[in-house]
Amino acid sequence: MKNLKAIILAAGEGSRMKSKKPKVLHEILNKSMVDYVIETAKGCGAGEVCVVVGHKAEMVKEGIKSEGVSFALQAEQKGTGHAVMMAGDFIDENSDMMILYGDTPLITGETLAKLVEVHREEGHGVTVVSSKVEDPTGYGRIMRNDAGSFQRIVEHKDASETERLVNEINTGIYIFNGKDLKDSLGKLNNNNAQGEYYLTDCLELILNTGKKVEAVVAKDADEFFGVNSRVQLAEAAQIMKNRINRKHMENGVTIVDPANTYIGSDVVIGRDTVILPGCVIEGNTIIGEDCEVGPNSRLTDMKLGDGVTFQTSTGIESEIGNETTVGPFAYIRPNCHIGDKVKVGDFVEVKNSNIGNGTKIPHLAYIGDTDAGEKINFGCGSIMVNYDGKKKHRTVVEDGVFVGCNANLVAPVTVKKGSYIAAGSTITKDVPEEVLAVARARQTVIEGWIEKRK
Ligand code: UD1
Ligand code: CA
């Protein structure tokens, strides 16, 4: 079978975004538009992807998170045909060449795969995706003859009044035979209203060589929605969000208020998990079965086991074991490994720490740079004093320790197995096994003090 390669056009400025950031880097559910397009291209079988960059090229290159992408530079934006020419040797005569735009993030792999199939089965020189829209203003129009066969594409600015009445538009997505693309690009000129090299003209040029050219009408117009403004960005985000939420619900996840739940496209959620309203779940987050998340939780690159409750809290780049409860109002910062049946309660911050199974941190604590064992009780107000003003140090708390309320453990320090720390202590030296450590002034009672004061 022929190879498939993809060229993604992303050199334009996108001035209507009114942004310092190039348009294609604007994000939907925490992923840039161009990354969606690259992933979709790869997902439908494109072995190699080339992104044509121009406007703020360096920023676009750096902003793309997908791997294994090559770049071509279009220093001056002289039209879509010119942009494709810049891909140069990437255009392979023996491959099929798919052309996509970096600002159409809603396109799906299934649709593209079908397009490739039609293109190959019918032996087209080029296949373009068209769409029937209510308001075709601004788009290129698909011109057909009386028999309904494709003839050419006329850009809005070059179209006559009658041509402008046509409501079948060019979505800008194509599969070309590599050789036909190369040959037709060589014949392009810029004799048109915009003085640009139009990729759309390649279709007529290929048709004129006797090859079959067809426009396939898209079933779901949403997929070809191009984002040009922030309003359209929000519209595209709505569609993406609905699509993702629907997929999870179909897989057995309860989403109580889908309109108010924002789940990234790479998130994995197990069956019978319930997502309460107001959650943002993003990046490579993986949530197990039978969990309850929310309301109003934010999870970024988190891994939750089964049966976890994650109530009204924030978690970043950390792992949480089975049947652990978090929140409300907890803050799990990066690189925490929290075990099974742990309680991380209200107003608890955990950072860069390991917490063993069955340990409880029920309220108002800071656990930073700490290796905590199993079945520890951290009393209210436990603070791991990890910073000496210059450097961070680690605290070790072994299995079964009881840390009394309002205790400070000044790192580096170790509290050995089974010991108790008296409430209000500031511990600066290692504590051996099975002892009570008290590090605070003794209470004194002054008799007659009130009398004297009077
Ligand atoms: C293009 C099509 C039009 C189609 C419409 C669909 C042409 C001539 N016209 O029009 O038929 O209906 O898309 O949205 O192709 N780009 C570059 N370099 C350039 C010019 C554009 O990389 O020199 C990129 C842009 O960044 C963008 C895409 O190509 O991602 C489309 O460019 P745009 O200017 O939006 O094309 P339209 O005029 O809308
Ligand atoms: Ca456009």
Side-chain angles (χ1 to χ4, degrees), residues 269-287:
I269 308 179
R271 278 194 183 189
D272 291 313
T273 282
V274 177
I275 311 293
L276 297 170
C279 291
V280 177
I281 305 173
E282 53 196 5
N284 294 314
T285 295
I286 300 174
I287 299 175

Side-chain angles (χ1 to χ4, degrees), residues 313-328:
S313 292
T314 294
I316 306 163
E317 295 166 30
S318 290
E319 217 178 311
I320 293 175
N322 301 325
E323 291 171 58
T324 285
T325 69
V326 175

Side-chain angles (χ1 to χ4, degrees), residues 252-272:
V253 176
T254 293
I255 299 179
V256 174
D257 184 3
N260 202 12
T261 301
Y262 305 84
I263 303 176
S265 62
D266 299 324
V267 171
V268 178
I269 308 179
R271 278 194 183 189
D272 291 313

Side-chain angles (χ1 to χ4, degrees), residues 203-239:
L203 282 76
E204 192 182 5
L205 290 167
I206 294 172
L207 190 69
N208 290 344
T209 65
K211 289 274 172 57
K212 278 212 263 180
V213 176
E214 200 43 84
V216 179
V217 184
K219 286 203 190 79
D220 178 6
D222 277 354
E223 285 198 28
F224 308 95
F225 183 67
V227 172
N228 295 312
S229 66
R230 308 244 186 185
V231 172
Q232 289 175 335
L233 183 70
E235 281 171 30
Q238 282 289 353
I239 295 168

Side-chain angles (χ1 to χ4, degrees), residues 8-14 16 23-24 52-53 74 76-83 100-104 138-141 153-156 169-172 174 194 196-201 224 226 228:
I8 299 174
L9 305 190
E13 178 178 3
R16 276 178 285 167
K23 175 165 78 173
V24 294
V52 180
V53 294
Q74 186 194 26
E76 232 184 303
Q77 278 76 69
K78 297 183 191 167
T80 49
H82 181 257
L100 303 166
Y101 292 163
D103 60 2
T104 53
Y139 289 100
R141 309 297 205 283
I153 297 173
V154 180
E155 288 307 297
H156 181 90
I169 59 119
N170 169 26
T171 65
Y174 320 82
Q194 304 183 75
E196 289 184 354
Y197 294 91
Y198 291 164
L199 182 60
T200 45
D201 287 346
F224 308 95
N228 295 312

Side-chain angles (χ1 to χ4, degrees), residues 89-110:
D89 287 344
F90 185 83
I91 303 170
D92 174 14
E93 299 204 346
N94 299 313
S95 296
D96 284 322
M97 302 297 304
M98 180 158 72
I99 315 270
L100 303 166
Y101 292 163
D103 60 2
T104 53
L106 298 172
I107 181 83
T108 68
E110 296 87 66

